[in-house]
Amino acid sequence: MAVQFAVRGEYIQLDQLLKAAGLVDSGGAAHAAVEQGQVRVDGAVENRKRAKLRPGQRVRFGAEEIELVAGE
């Protein structure tokens, strides 16, 4: 089951999402996870640390899945 994360504005960068969602402790840890191919966006491995993610997309990191929704 995916956890919903509200995106304030048009998008959120992948590294910022991982940190804001509490999946990593720091930006450096987020960058390392992406570089190691541990993060999937919409089912595909994402290797861009600062990929712009928008509502409707899904991010998987380990056993965690995040569904991005539009914030208020």
Side-chain angles (χ1 to χ4, degrees):
M1 181 174 165
V3 174
Q4 291 190 338
F5 185 91
V7 177
R8 296 183 192 130
E10 185 180 337
Y11 65 86
I12 185 169
Q13 290 181 180
L14 178 56
D15 57 346
Q16 293 172 345
L17 172 67
L18 295 176
K19 191 172 176 189
L23 299 179
V24 296
D25 294 329
S26 68
H31 289 194
V34 173
E35 286 176 1
Q36 294 169 7
Q38 299 176 353
V39 182
R40 293 182 169 267
V41 175
D42 295 333
V45 173
E46 180 58 75
N47 57 15
R48 296 172 297 154
K49 300 171 202 122
R50 293 183 176 92
K52 294 178 180 176
L53 306 175
R54 292 174 169 77
Q57 291 188 288
R58 288 181 173 259
V59 175
R60 179 171 287 281
F61 178 66
E64 301 294 326
E65 186 171 16
I66 301 170
E67 176 184 8
L68 300 177
V69 296
E72 308 231 348

